[in-house]
Structures are given as C-alpha cells and as structure tokens.
Amino acid sequence: MLKHANAWKDRFPEFAGCRDAVVEQLMAAATLVTVPAGQQVFYPGKTCEHYLLLLSGSVKAQILSADGREVLLYRVLPGDSCVLTTSCLLGDSQYPAEGYSETDVSAFAIPAHVFHRCLQQSAFFREFVFRNFSTRLADVIKRMAALSFASIDQRLAQTLLAADGPTIHKTHQELALELGSVREVVSRHLKRFESLGWLNLQRGSIEILDAAALRGLLTGGD
C-alpha cells in the first residue's frame, strides 16, 4: 500500500489517480519532510537535491537588493511545486535566491535522480512539471514587471485587494517585503489612504473601507 496515500489524494489527486507505473514508483520513492516556521529552506549557491511538492504551510522565495532590502519573488503554497527548485533540477544549477518557511511546512521530497528518471520515462510527469513550471514562471515575471513599472500606490492597492476579505492581518513590514519596498514608505502610503477614508489601520491589521477607491488606482483613477 502506498505511504501517505491520503496526502497524495488530497493535495495531488492527479498523481493519485494516475495509472502510470513510473509515477507510482516516484510516489513510492517520495519521503514526507517537515520544516518548522522561520527556517531557511535554500540559499544562494545551494545544490538542489530534491523535487518538492508542498502539502501544507507556506515558503517564501526572495532575493536581497543591492541596498540590503528583501524582495519577495513568490510564495510556494499547498499543492504547488517551487519554480526555482524545478529550474535548478532542469539546468543542473545552484539556487540563485533564498527561501524561508513562513509557517510550519510539510512536503513530499522526491530525490533528484528519481525526478530525472521519471521526467524521461513518463509523459504524465513531464506535462505536470513543465505546466507548473511555466505557470509559476509567468507569475514571477508578472510580479517583477509590477515591481518595476507600477507605482507604489498601485502595487499596495493591488496587494490589499487580493486579500480574502476586507481585513488584512499583515504588518507594514510584511507588506513592504511583498512590495519590494521599505516599511517607512509603505506606512506613509497606508496612512495617506487612511486619511482619505479608504482604510482603517490597526496594530497588525488593516481594514478596507473603500475598495472602489483602491480599484480606481489600478485603472488610473484618483
């Protein structure tokens, strides 16, 4: 019987439902790994030894700017694979950025030699790997374009509107990391939004009062 069959079924049902013998071997070779919150998962120059499929938690991939600012590239969430990990495995290269677990994390770790063998022998696995890689890479490019060309007001409004509800439980420092900015700049813009009646700022949370005004920033309105 397959180890951790329920985890495969819950997070990666396409694997659980696949009848490819090579994929079944891959699933059998995967090990369940756990990482506590706040731990470095990879760093620049580290060799990639496993292909990771996230089951729970969140991992952030980031780079450091020339002035020492942390710039968020993307997050790996449950059901995702890591675009940098995939890139390093495909190119036989080392990590160019760093990754940290934001919460307690669990994932399936597939040894690199198993990854390469399955990539060669399974059409299903090739399609899965490259589909996820291209999707996540496109997301990273969109994010970098936004950081380069959109104003801080637009990026901030977009991040706030992307939350699950009207209340965002993030600090100004956490928002600054996502925006590739610094806390002082983000705080200044948040306070301006509050003075306009768009937000209500509390310690550790932000309440959206006028979502239409924030959306207006994204379409060029005031």
Side-chain angles (χ1 to χ4, degrees):
M1 183 177 178
L2 179 67
K3 294 184 298 182
H4 312 298
N6 288 337
W8 281 107
K9 184 177 180 180
D10 290 343
R11 289 301 184 191
F12 299 97
E14 60 269 63
F15 280 79
C18 183
R19 294 297 176 259
D20 187 329
V22 176
V23 173
E24 292 176 354
Q25 293 170 11
L26 176 144
M27 294 166 67
T31 57
L32 181 64
V33 297
T34 58
V35 180
Q39 182 167 315
Q40 190 173 52
V41 181
F42 53 83
Y43 52 85
K46 184 180 186 297
T47 299
C48 181
E49 299 176 345
H50 294 86
Y51 182 65
L52 299 176
L53 298 172
L54 205 68
L55 292 169
S56 65
S58 172
V59 175
K60 63 179 180 181
Q62 62 186 32
I63 56 175
L64 294 179
S65 67
D67 59 1
R69 287 186 294 112
E70 296 176 344
V71 179
L72 179 71
L73 295 175
Y74 60 90
R75 283 186 170 88
V76 187
L77 300 173
D80 289 343
S81 58
C82 174
V83 66
L84 282 179
T85 296
T86 306
S87 175
C88 292
L89 286 169
L90 293 175
D92 192 24
S93 57
Q94 298 174 326
Y95 281 102
E98 60 184 7
Y100 285 89
S101 54
E102 295 187 294
T103 64
D104 291 346
V105 166
S106 66
F108 282 132
I110 299 161
H113 72 276
V114 176
F115 169 85
H116 287 295
R117 174 167 55 81
C118 291
L119 201 64
Q120 292 175 349
Q121 298 178 359
S122 171
F124 166 87
F125 187 60
R126 280 196 302 274
E127 181 181 350
F128 175 86
V129 169
F130 287 111
R131 182 177 67 248
N132 280 273
F133 179 69
S134 61
T135 299
R136 298 310 306 277
L137 182 59
D139 290 341
V140 173
I141 292 173
K142 289 178 184 177
R143 174 168 175 74
M144 292 301 101
L147 290 178
S148 299
F149 302 117
S151 70
I152 184 67
D153 275 359
Q154 290 173 319
R155 284 149 48 199
L156 182 55
Q158 186 170 36
T159 299
L160 294 173
L161 291 169
D164 292 335
T167 302
I168 299 94
H169 296 285
K170 292 182 179 180
T171 66
H172 295 192
Q173 179 59 42
E174 289 171 333
L175 285 172
L177 171 61
E178 292 194 29
L179 298 173
S181 185
V182 294
R183 183 184 58 77
E184 292 78 9
V185 171
V186 169
S187 294
R188 184 165 64 249
H189 285 265
L190 285 172
K191 289 175 182 176
R192 184 169 67 83
F193 287 178
E194 184 179 45
S195 71
L196 293 170
W198 299 354
L199 303 175
N200 178 32
L201 303 181
Q202 301 292 333
R203 185 176 182 86
S205 68
I206 301 164
E207 181 184 6
I208 297 176
L209 300 178
D210 192 343
L214 293 176
R215 284 193 291 269
L217 291 175
L218 304 182
T219 58
D222 191 1

